[in-house]
Amino acid sequence: MNYRWTNVHIPDLSGKVAVVTGANSGIGFETAKELARNKAIVIMACRNKEKAEASLNNLRSEIPNIRAEVLSLDLSRLESIRNFAALFQEKYNRLDILINNAGIMKISYEQTAEGVEKHFGVNHLGHFALTGLLLNSLLATPGSRVITISSLSHWFGNINFRALKHDAGKRLFPLMAYGRSKLANILFANELQRRLEINGSKTISVAAHPGITVTNLTGHFGNQLYDLLVSPILIRIGQNTAKGALPGLRAATDPDITGGKYIGPTGIWGIKGYPAAVQSSGKSQSSKTAKLLWEISEELTGVHYL
Ligand SMILES: NC(=O)c1ccc[n+]([C@@H]2O[C@H](COP(=O)([O-])OP(=O)(O)OC[C@H]3O[C@@H](n4cnc5c(N)ncnc54)[C@H](OP(=O)(O)O)[C@@H]3O)[C@@H](O)[C@H]2O)c1
């Protein structure tokens, strides 16, 4: 499995339907582009319709005749997630690939519409709810996949369930809050895979991470000091979005990938390089934590599944 996998290895995706969250920029945009280039019908699930339509126009000018459209999705509002899922299911009767890609990494403390710490709310809970609400479409589609984009930052993430319930993580240093949400992404992907297997489903769940990739996320922390000091380092050592999208694309399209894997760059420290199965932290493999996270996620979103 560890050969030099690139976008040329993506198979023909004719007839397949893919949803990519946060597809208007960075890794999501590149992912949508490669899926559409290989003939999938791509739904760009984005919070800012104007920005997303502009990105779709860019995509169309680069690759004419693609099949893609924008549907509104704000992962920080449960109502928006429900509306997206309902509209998607009205329009499409299958879902082959769901890429849970959208994400935030901020320095300030913010909350979702439901009052949850925003990194946890958008990066994890929003995708938990979205996947649950789209599950019928996934289960009805042979060979479907759910890909959840995590991060190297999951290594310093920690989930304190009491703090999560009582103060929504207010006292958490924001980058730790980001790490917590990215740890939740892998725990979620693994628990989803376990539950799919128990249910005898052929749908698979795979986690991936893009190493360090130069995008808006690495350039705009929303804090002058970080933008001045940290961003230039990330820009220097990071890879471009075409390479950063490869782990998620391999997870989504390589027939050799099996459920429960974690796909990331194989270069030094996992920062860059060709994508293949890599190791995630011990914490991310705890089935006990994953089960607890699943239960609290159901409670916080009101979305119950599997
Ligand atoms: N870049 C890296 O080095 C790196 C490293 C590890 C992991 N990642 C992960 O890779 C994924 C993609 O990030 P990126 O680097 O490509 O960053 P990006 O260019 O900032 O893209 C993030 C995307 O998420 C969208 N988004 C943010 N909040 C949202 C919300 N409430 N509802 C719906 N969409 C929302 C953004 O929409 P707007 O354009 O409207 O803001 C944007 O489309 C994230 O999950 C991130 O954690 C990135």
Side-chain angles (χ1 to χ4, degrees):
M1 180 190 171
N2 288 328
Y3 58 93
R4 297 180 159 202
W5 196 95
T6 69
N7 58 351
V8 304
H9 296 100
I10 299 175
D12 180 84
L13 302 172
S14 299
K16 292 193 189 287
V17 175
V19 169
V20 183
T21 68
N24 59 288
S25 80
I27 294 157
F29 177 74
E30 205 62 37
T31 304
K33 182 162 88 184
E34 290 307 319
L35 294 174
R37 189 201 301 282
N38 289 283
K39 302 200 170 63
I41 300 166
V42 177
I43 291 83
M44 301 168 72
C46 303
R47 65 173 163 176
N48 183 322
K49 196 125 198 219
E50 239 169 70
K51 255 162 78 174
E53 292 288 359
S55 299
L56 177 53
N57 286 340
N58 286 341
L59 229 165
R60 284 219 165 92
S61 62
E62 202 177 316
I63 322 166
N65 302 324
I66 55 160
R67 294 180 70 189
E69 71 164 319
V70 172
L71 292 185
S72 289
L73 171 72
D74 183 347
L75 290 159
S76 70
R77 291 191 306 117
L78 283 171
E79 190 194 1
S80 166
I81 301 171
R82 288 188 186 281
N83 290 342
F84 172 88
L87 183 58
F88 173 83
Q89 280 167 337
E90 228 174 84
K91 299 184 90 166
Y92 298 93
N93 58 9
R94 63 184 296 141
L95 176 54
D96 298 84
I97 299 170
L98 167 61
I99 307 218
N100 289 327
N101 161 80
I104 53 164
M105 181 170 71
K106 295 251 178 254
I107 290 303
S108 53
Y109 177 82
E110 290 172 29
Q111 292 187 344
T112 64
E114 283 74 33
V116 176
E117 187 282 321
K118 212 168 186 178
H119 290 95
F120 191 75
V122 169
N123 299 357
H124 166 62
L125 283 183
H127 285 123
F128 176 89
L130 179 70
T131 307
L133 293 167
L134 294 176
L135 198 71
N136 283 346
S137 305
L138 287 158
L139 295 180
T141 311
S144 60
R145 297 183 182 197
V146 179
I147 313 305
T148 303
I149 305 297
S150 180
S151 164
L152 285 170
S153 315
H154 88 271
W155 284 89
F156 58 76
N158 190 37
I159 301 185
N160 175 336
F161 288 98
R162 267 211 356 224
L164 192 61
K165 270 197 151 170
H166 295 297
D167 70 357
K170 250 182 204 144
R171 276 170 298 179
L172 213 56
F173 182 67
L175 286 182
M176 295 301 280
Y178 177 71
R180 175 175 76 171
S181 72
K182 291 287 135 184
L183 172 60
N185 284 152
I186 305 183
L187 287 163
F188 162 65
N190 289 345
E191 182 65 14
L192 177 61
Q193 176 59 27
R194 271 190 284 276
R195 288 176 185 241
L196 287 165
E197 274 172 24
I198 290 168
N199 278 269
S201 167
K202 295 270 178 287
T203 299
I204 62 167
S205 165
V206 183
H209 82 90
I212 294 178
T213 300
V214 181
T215 65
N216 287 338
L217 193 97
T218 43
H220 303 282
F221 287 90
N223 173 292
Q224 275 188 341
L225 195 65
Y226 275 73
D227 288 349
L228 209 71
L229 297 179
V230 183
S231 291
I233 299 171
L234 297 180
I235 288 167
R236 183 146 183 95
I237 62 175
Q239 53 185 356
N240 62 28
T241 50
K243 289 193 172 132
L246 291 180
L249 284 165
R250 185 168 194 183
T253 65
D254 182 345
D256 292 339
I257 297 286
T258 50
K261 289 273 186 292
Y262 180 51
I263 311 299
T266 47
I268 189 157
W269 295 334
I271 290 174
K272 49 171 90 173
Y274 293 99
V278 293
Q279 195 67 24
S280 65
S281 69
K283 270 187 231 165
S284 74
Q285 291 166 41
S286 161
S287 51
K288 193 173 153 212
T289 314
K291 191 165 176 292
L292 276 170
L293 176 68
W294 190 277
E295 284 162 7
I296 201 170
S297 303
E298 284 185 329
E299 204 180 302
L300 289 170
T301 60
V303 179
H304 296 261
Y305 60 108
L306 283 178

